């Protein structure tokens, strides 16, 4: 169901996140403590998607959580050679969160006073109470 009125306007804020250092613990956390090949939660290790012996680096985008069984099966092969697929593509943590914060009444009044409300906003704003 679509709401026809928005009681308050929102301002979008970009907030810096705490920097996560690359570690075994943080890789396991990012991957939800489950194997990225089979979803197992037992006997977890860290796997290089591109093996270190083939130039794969110790970086967020090349490391995934893997159970020892899948890690052994993949071995020193690429995903294609091992005929294996990842459940999701490994990514580093975001540097920023985008959050929406309601405008205060005074900020809303200031916008209205200085710039006037854009015509297209009016359909979404609550009208005067009857």
């Amino acid at each position: 169901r679509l709401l026809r009125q928005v009681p308050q306007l929102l301002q979008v804020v970009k907030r810096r996140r705490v920097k996560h250092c690359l570690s075994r613990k943080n890789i396991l956390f990012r991957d939800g403590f489950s194997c990225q090949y089979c979803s197992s939660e037992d006997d977890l290790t860290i796997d290089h998607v591109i093996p270190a012996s083939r130039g794969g680096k110790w970086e967020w985008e090349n490391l995934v959580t893997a159970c020892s069984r899948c890690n052994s099966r993949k071995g020193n092969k690429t995903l294609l050679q091992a005929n294996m697929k990842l459940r999701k593509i490994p990514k580093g943590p975001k540097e920023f969160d985008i959050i929406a914060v309601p405008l205060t009444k005074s900020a809303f009044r200031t916008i209205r006073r200085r710039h006037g409300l854009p015509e297209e906003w009016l359909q979404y704003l609550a009208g005067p109470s009857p």
Side-chain angles (χ1 to χ4, degrees), residues 59-74:
E59 54 193 18
W60 288 102
E61 296 77 11
N62 192 49
L63 298 168
V64 294
T65 302
C67 66
S68 58
R69 186 170 167 251
C70 287
N71 204 345
S72 294
R73 181 177 151 217
K74 182 173 168 285

Side-chain angles (χ1 to χ4, degrees), residues 104-124:
T104 62
K105 287 183 180 183
S106 65
F108 185 72
R109 281 193 300 271
T110 301
I111 290 172
R112 189 182 309 180
R113 199 174 35 239
R114 287 192 184 161
H115 307 290
L117 291 175
E119 193 71 30
E120 54 273 7
W121 289 12
L122 296 178
Q123 64 181 322
Y124 301 107

Side-chain angles (χ1 to χ4, degrees), residues 20-112:
H20 294 283
C21 56
L22 180 58
S23 67
R24 180 180 190 280
K25 180 178 120 184
N26 285 335
I27 295 292
L28 291 166
F29 180 77
R30 177 200 65 191
D31 294 342
F33 296 92
S34 66
C35 176
Q36 294 304 289
Y37 299 108
C38 75
S39 302
S40 171
E41 295 179 356
D42 300 322
D43 200 17
L44 298 175
T45 64
I46 302 298
D47 178 49
H48 284 79
V49 177
I50 299 169
S53 63
R54 297 177 180 229
K57 297 189 167 126
W58 182 265
E59 54 193 18
W60 288 102
E61 296 77 11
N62 192 49
L63 298 168
V64 294
T65 302
C67 66
S68 58
R69 186 170 167 251
C70 287
N71 204 345
S72 294
R73 181 177 151 217
K74 182 173 168 285
N76 200 27
K77 300 176 228 157
T78 64
L79 293 173
L80 188 62
Q81 291 168 332
N83 194 28
M84 295 173 78
K85 289 185 180 177
L86 287 168
R87 290 175 36 226
K88 66 180 183 182
I89 296 170
K91 296 179 183 174
K94 295 179 196 172
E95 290 188 31
F96 294 96
D97 278 330
I98 305 294
I99 56 174
V101 178
L103 285 174
T104 62
K105 287 183 180 183
S106 65
F108 185 72
R109 281 193 300 271
T110 301
I111 290 172
R112 189 182 309 180

